[in-house]
Amino acid sequence: MSDIASRVKAIIVEKLGVDENEVTPEASFTNDLGADSLDTVELIMEFEKEFNVAIPDDQAENISTVGQAISYLEKNVSN
Amino acid sequence: MELKRVVVTGLGALTPLGNTVSAYWDGLVNGVSGAAPITHFDASKFKTQFACEVKGFDPHDFMDRKEARKVDPFVQYAIASTDEAVKDAELQFDQLDTNRIGVIWGSGIGGLKTFLDEVATYAKGDGTPRFNPFFIPKMLVDIAPGHISMRHGLRGPNFSAVSACASSTNAMIDAFNYIRMGMADIIITGGSEATVNEAGIGGFNAMHALSTRNDDPTTASRPFDKDRDGFVSGEGSGAIILESLEHALARGAKIYAEVAGGGMSADAYHITASHPEGLGAKLAMSKAIADAKFNYTDIDYINVHGTSTPVGDISETKAIIDLFGEQAYRLNISSTKSMTGHLLGAAGAIEAIASILSVKNDIVPPTINHFNDDPQIDNNLNFTFNTAQRRVVNAALSNTFGFGGHNASIIVKKYHA
């Protein structure tokens, strides 16, 4: 697992209070991990803080699964 | 319209003296102080460095990590005390009409810690707003009754009463009124407050409202003593289950006491100072007495607002003497804030619980920390100084007064069929 993927999963486990095993690439924040709309906004903000990036709202709308978050960050985080 | 009788069928408390009703009552009758150096934050630069904090409270005993993170401490406290009260009242919500069960909750300020943290984070940044999406719903004062309703599935009347330090008494009087008018069968009422933080202590310090007796915190709250120098900040929660008598009898509930009456008024005088002659206080108490269809001689105990401030204690005493006449010298008076500190919007709730248990147990909890009489206060009154007193308490009146000049008084009496 990439460094980005493990950090993303750690944030999701912490913020959504879910078990690490549930945080699979296909898992949807709202349908599988019990997030509501405010949780999802908070997750995006945590990703921005953790990786020091700004995720525009129109891009954030397309991030609804664990895998989508990891792949967006892998493309947009420089280091 | 025939008004229904309203009784108390459950209690819950999370206080600086203990985290259950029985621990709280034990602390009260034994004259224990809940004051100690502040642990919630580094208070070394503050004029006041002690408070009456809740001790040994773990929100995860009541909710999972995710839920605990999304609520301010004042809501965590509310959930803890209402859980205890619901259990105490043996409420089986799946067997009751939950459309007729409400929550009316008091808090003076609401999520002050949440507000402080979020605004501090913003101020440290470059001006780009990065507020947490839970900022507003964590902070709102009315979110406490919202959470309580969601936790138990209660769809009756649901809102907060806000009148600073009178908040939870206003909430209880509202609950009493809705039930006696037949608009609800049961209302979970009371209040919670969590303001022992930098903003709360700093803000009240700036007003010179708090005691600064840092070298001796446990004797700092000394209502009616000559050397009182301000109130001691407290925090916590009190929950009271009010229920129509007919509903309580139908489900075989235990009954602690009956609510006899409530009275409310405003000083219309000053934002923070009480009226020097206690006009508003007198008006609230007299309305409560009239509402209860009582004579002044029917009151055996007054749990006073008595915050241990130089001015407030004098005006409340004057109001009691003016209103009760000879009976003022026969009844017991005590300020349990001498032990709990001042829980602001939750003060009315925990002091109503003290009054209810006083009526139930025929014990008056003391005003501790009395060392020297104040010549400006009539010391022929029985302030129940330093030790609890046994006496028959058929009825007790609890006073609360809030910044803004709000006054609210509630009377509880022994239940007789």
Side-chain angles (χ1 to χ4, degrees):
Chain A
M1 199 186 342
S2 74
D3 170 57
I4 284 178
S6 62
R7 284 154 73 193
V8 165
K9 286 188 181 183
I11 288 170
I12 294 168
V13 167
E14 157 72 19
K15 291 294 169 190
L16 300 185
V18 290
D19 196 277
E20 205 179 323
N21 302 331
E22 298 173 71
V23 189
T24 60
E26 304 75 36
S28 152
F29 299 141
T30 50
N31 298 334
D32 302 315
L33 301 177
D36 63 21
S37 61
L38 296 179
D39 290 316
T40 310
V41 176
E42 191 184 33
L43 274 183
I44 297 291
M45 289 181 63
E46 286 298 315
F47 297 150
E48 291 181 324
K49 197 161 79 183
E50 173 74 14
F51 297 101
N52 197 24
V53 292
I55 305 175
D57 285 354
D58 58 342
Q59 301 289 311
E61 282 167 19
N62 298 322
I63 302 174
S64 60
T65 68
V66 177
Q68 285 165 354
I70 293 169
S71 91
Y72 178 88
L73 291 164
E74 283 177 341
K75 275 186 215 130
N76 292 281
V77 173
S78 51
N79 54 14
Chain B
M1 178 171 70
E2 172 106 13
L3 293 175
K4 292 178 192 291
R5 292 171 69 184
V6 178
V7 292
V8 178
T9 58
L11 300 174
L14 176 68
T15 75
L17 304 187
N19 297 359
T20 61
V21 170
S22 66
Y24 169 51
W25 180 246
D26 282 352
L28 287 179
V29 297
N30 290 309
V32 175
S33 167
I38 288 172
T39 65
H40 290 347
F41 67 96
D42 175 5
S44 56
K45 290 184 178 162
F46 287 66
K47 278 193 282 188
T48 297
Q49 299 171 359
F50 62 95
C52 288
E53 293 178 341
V54 163
K55 295 155 194 80
F57 173 70
D58 183 355
H60 304 116
D61 292 344
F62 299 91
M63 62 202 88
D64 65 29
R65 285 174 49 80
K66 183 183 167 194
E67 197 187 346
R69 203 171 54 73
K70 288 186 192 176
V71 295
D72 186 89
F74 93 102
V75 173
Q76 295 177 353
Y77 295 170
I79 286 173
S81 70
T82 52
D83 273 11
E84 185 188 7
V86 164
K87 196 171 166 210
D88 182 43
E90 299 183 72
L91 293 173
Q92 307 286 335
F93 291 124
D94 54 350
Q95 292 162 26
L96 299 169
D97 181 357
T98 48
N99 292 345
R100 291 184 51 79
I101 303 178
V103 185
I104 302 178
W105 199 253
S107 182
I109 299 180
L112 186 61
K113 171 73 175 151
T114 297
F115 186 82
L116 170 67
D117 290 348
E118 285 291 321
V119 174
T121 302
Y122 174 70
K124 269 186 247 159
D126 64 0
T128 309
R130 299 188 53 80
F131 290 96
N132 187 285
F134 295 102
F135 170 30
I136 301 293
K138 264 176 90 168
M139 177 196 72
L140 293 176
V141 69
D142 58 285
I143 206 73
H147 277 287
I148 296 163
S149 74
M150 285 175 256
R151 190 171 179 84
H152 302 291
L154 310 176
R155 295 198 164 83
N158 190 289
F159 60 89
S160 275
V162 179
S163 51
C165 304
S167 297
S168 49
T169 307
N170 276 113
M172 289 183 285
I173 292 171
D174 278 0
F176 172 51
N177 284 335
Y178 283 117
I179 296 169
R180 64 176 166 170
M181 289 191 295
M183 295 167 75
D185 296 326
I186 295 173
I187 293 180
I188 299 177
T189 184
S192 59
E193 200 78 68
T195 51
V196 180
N197 55 48
E198 295 88 331
I201 301 297
F204 285 118
N205 261 163
M207 299 171 63
H208 298 277
L210 299 180
S211 168
T212 55
R213 200 178 296 277
N214 292 315
D215 58 347
D216 197 5
T218 60
T219 71
S221 186
R222 48 174 81 187
F224 310 110
D225 185 87
K226 182 165 75 68
D227 301 312
R228 65 191 182 280
D229 70 332
F231 76 81
V232 176
S233 246
E235 60 168 0
S237 180
I240 294 135
I241 309 289
L242 294 186
E243 186 166 358
S244 75
L245 174 62
E246 60 191 33
H247 196 270
L249 292 175
R251 69 179 187 89
K254 72 165 176 275
I255 295 172
Y256 283 93
E258 179 168 358
V259 182
M264 298 171 280
S265 74
D267 274 7
Y269 172 71
H270 185 267
I271 51 170
T272 57
S274 54
H275 189 283
E277 301 303 318
L279 279 189
K282 220 159 51 177
L283 191 56
M285 287 189 278
S286 65
K287 285 179 177 179
I289 297 276
D291 187 36
K293 299 185 169 60
F294 269 19
N295 296 310
Y296 288 98
T297 50
D298 292 328
I299 299 289
D300 299 306
Y301 168 42
I302 301 180
N303 185 302
V304 288
H305 189 58
T307 56
S308 186
T309 56
V311 177
D313 290 4
I314 295 174
S315 56
E316 186 174 10
T317 309
K318 280 185 188 167
I320 290 169
I321 294 168
D322 246 30
L323 196 61
F324 285 80
E326 279 306 302
Q327 180 65 12
Y329 299 90
R330 288 194 286 263
L331 50 76
N332 273 66
I333 293 169
S334 76
S335 170
T336 43
K337 287 187 182 80
S338 58
M339 297 172 276
T340 63
H342 188 358
L343 272 65
L344 311 182
I350 67 160
E351 288 161 22
I353 292 171
S355 303
I356 290 160
L357 292 176
S358 178
V359 162
K360 180 169 179 284
N361 298 321
D362 291 324
I363 299 173
V364 176
T367 305
I368 66 165
N369 293 328
H370 186 70
F371 303 98
N372 297 302
D373 288 351
D374 179 349
Q376 292 179 274
I377 288 175
D378 184 345
N379 281 283
N380 293 315
L381 295 167
N382 181 358
F383 288 104
T384 326
F385 281 135
N386 298 332
T387 48
Q389 284 180 18
R390 286 195 171 275
R391 72 172 284 166
V392 173
V393 183
N394 285 309
L397 180 151
S398 172
N399 276 342
T400 50
F401 313 136
F403 286 169
H406 322 289
N407 309 292
S409 305
I410 191 164
I411 299 173
V412 291
K413 64 180 182 184
K414 282 190 197 296
Y415 164 68
H416 298 291

